[in-house]
Amino acid sequence: MGTNSRTKGQIMATSRAPCTFFALLLCGLLLFTSHDLTGQGSKDSKHVINRQPVLGDEPVTLLSPRPERTIAVPFGYELLLVNYSALQSQRTHFKRAGLNFEQARKKGNDFYTAYQTAIDCGNPPGTIFTEAQFRNAWADEPGEEDELETYWQTAFQTNIGNVPDDILALDALQNKAPFVSAAGQQATVPTGAFYKLQFIPSANAIIALDTESPDYRLARRGIQKPARNAAIPALNRLSDMMWYVWDSISEDPGKLRYIGRDTITNSATEGIMDDILQKTAGNARAPWPGKTFGLDTDEGKALLGTPNGVAVGWLLIDRYREMGKREPRVTIWVVGNSRIMLWDLKPP
């Protein structure tokens, strides 16, 4: 993992020949129209966040806003000024119901195209969040789910040849206030958001057990954007939370390989998964090994475009400098009435 991914200084722009005007506009459009808001220390202590001393009463210093970044566009076009922070802040989330297959496929295709553009052209890297930003708004509790469910054991046995036992469970709770919001203001009411996650270093895997983002919690209360940006913490998205913790505990974060979504309850994702399994397996409740799809298929793109898939899309785009080029594929299956999704971020 290169040192550039961890610097907090100003990010310098680079230009690459394969980058086109159309591709840049597509990246900007995607950032405006999507959001990963799915609602969803030592090994002995199972505290994975406590890597630095507690801040106590010291003032919290947050990273300064990302500066405008100049991107050189070939073929005679003028330079485009892209304020990446502004684009990030205006992502909007999917409705939890009413997403059909074609809408999900198109959204997934946009993500995949933007990821390819990031590899070819060099997007600004994702924000590197700090311990101070986490402690400003979140509390971490040792998760109770420190063992793998049987169906995850089967999946890992198949994929890596063994059942890992180095499970680091974390419950991140957004129950602190006041905190500095994503809009740089003082927020006085906790959102009640939570991320229940499992981190498995030996398998280079993360499993999201149960998640509700700050933005989703406020949307349920009827709070509209941009008012929500003034009431959610800077570190708020699932993809950013997963990477923040993973970067803290992994000896080589760029080797992250598997992202699991456990017991999916999002109605939009459930509908897409049921349709795909019924069509391809003849059974909307297909058990393991279920069905596997690459992002070169309509099914794979549709799953990436679901509320439970977009966090993977953002992880690929925001962390491509650390992770490099991948050829993602996703396996879906059903255990009882629970729908399961496992992303394999396979290197070429």
Side-chain angles (χ1 to χ4, degrees):
M1 181 172 177
T3 56
N4 290 341
S5 64
R6 296 178 187 269
T7 48
K8 299 177 184 176
Q10 187 176 18
I11 299 168
M12 302 302 294
T14 58
S15 61
R16 300 185 184 181
C19 191
T20 66
F21 181 71
F22 172 77
L24 285 167
L25 289 180
L26 180 58
C27 285
L29 179 61
L30 178 61
L31 287 165
F32 270 111
T33 58
S34 55
H35 198 323
D36 62 309
L37 295 174
T38 47
Q40 277 208 41
S42 71
K43 178 181 175 183
D44 291 339
S45 66
K46 301 186 179 65
H47 277 274
V48 283
I49 293 292
N50 290 333
R51 299 291 294 250
Q52 300 178 15
V54 177
L55 296 175
D57 296 329
E58 296 179 8
V60 175
T61 302
L62 301 181
L63 292 176
S64 59
R66 188 183 303 280
E68 286 192 343
R69 178 175 184 270
T70 303
I71 301 177
V73 182
F75 312 125
Y77 288 104
E78 295 182 356
L79 295 180
L80 297 179
L81 295 179
V82 178
N83 187 326
Y84 193 64
S85 293
L87 293 177
Q88 293 271 37
S89 69
Q90 296 185 50
R91 297 193 232 184
T92 57
H93 66 82
F94 288 113
K95 294 180 179 179
R96 290 182 65 81
L99 181 70
N100 62 39
F101 181 89
E102 180 55 28
Q103 290 171 326
R105 186 205 63 79
K106 183 179 184 303
K107 184 59 62 180
N109 185 68
D110 288 344
F111 268 108
Y112 187 56
T113 302
Y115 171 59
Q116 296 295 329
T117 302
I119 295 293
D120 293 339
C121 306
N123 280 1
T127 301
I128 303 300
F129 289 98
T130 67
E131 176 84 1
Q133 287 172 299
F134 179 87
R135 295 285 169 210
N136 175 247
W138 296 84
D140 62 307
E141 300 287 344
E144 296 179 357
E145 303 291 337
D146 57 357
E147 295 182 359
L148 288 176
E149 295 285 356
T150 302
Y151 46 87
W152 286 120
Q153 294 180 25
T154 301
F156 282 113
Q157 182 68 51
T158 301
N159 282 278
I160 68 173
N162 63 74
V163 178
D165 60 2
D166 56 333
I167 315 300
L168 303 175
L170 170 76
D171 292 351
L173 310 173
Q174 206 290 287
N175 59 4
K176 290 186 178 180
F179 59 86
V180 179
S181 75
Q185 303 172 7
Q186 283 286 333
T188 59
V189 180
T191 65
F194 58 87
Y195 292 122
K196 297 172 68 69
L197 307 170
Q198 288 180 326
F199 298 86
I200 315 172
S202 67
N204 290 305
I206 303 172
I207 299 175
L209 301 174
D210 194 7
T211 64
E212 286 192 0
S213 73
D215 195 276
Y216 170 70
R217 296 280 293 194
L218 295 183
R220 282 176 52 183
R221 300 178 196 170
I223 301 175
Q224 302 298 315
K225 284 185 177 289
R228 291 203 298 270
N229 285 335
I232 60 175
L235 173 55
N236 66 81
R237 302 183 181 102
L238 174 59
S239 61
D240 289 332
M241 182 65 77
M242 288 193 297
W243 184 260
Y244 167 69
V245 179
W246 181 251
D247 190 48
S248 301
I249 67 172
S250 174
E251 294 182 358
D252 191 348
K255 289 185 177 180
L256 179 61
R257 175 74 182 262
Y258 299 101
I259 303 292
R261 300 305 307 263
D262 193 295
T263 316
I264 292 169
T265 59
N266 182 287
S267 58
T269 304
E270 287 179 323
I272 298 297
M273 292 178 69
D274 288 353
D275 290 347
I276 289 174
L277 286 175
Q278 184 64 48
K279 176 183 176 182
T280 60
N283 178 9
R285 297 290 185 270
W288 177 264
K291 300 294 291 186
T292 299
F293 308 95
L295 291 186
D296 57 344
T297 67
D298 286 345
E299 290 82 4
K301 291 173 181 175
L303 291 165
L304 184 65
T306 63
N308 291 86
V310 294
V312 173
W314 282 117
L315 196 66
L316 289 169
I317 293 170
D318 288 341
R319 308 303 168 186
Y320 81 95
R321 291 174 183 260
E322 295 93 330
M323 296 173 59
K325 185 175 177 61
R326 303 297 180 94
E327 296 178 352
R329 58 188 181 187
V330 57
T331 299
I332 57 173
W333 72 100
V334 178
V335 178
N337 289 322
S338 299
R339 295 159 183 82
I340 312 296
M341 182 183 293
L342 177 61
W343 289 89
D344 179 358
L345 310 182
K346 185 173 69 73

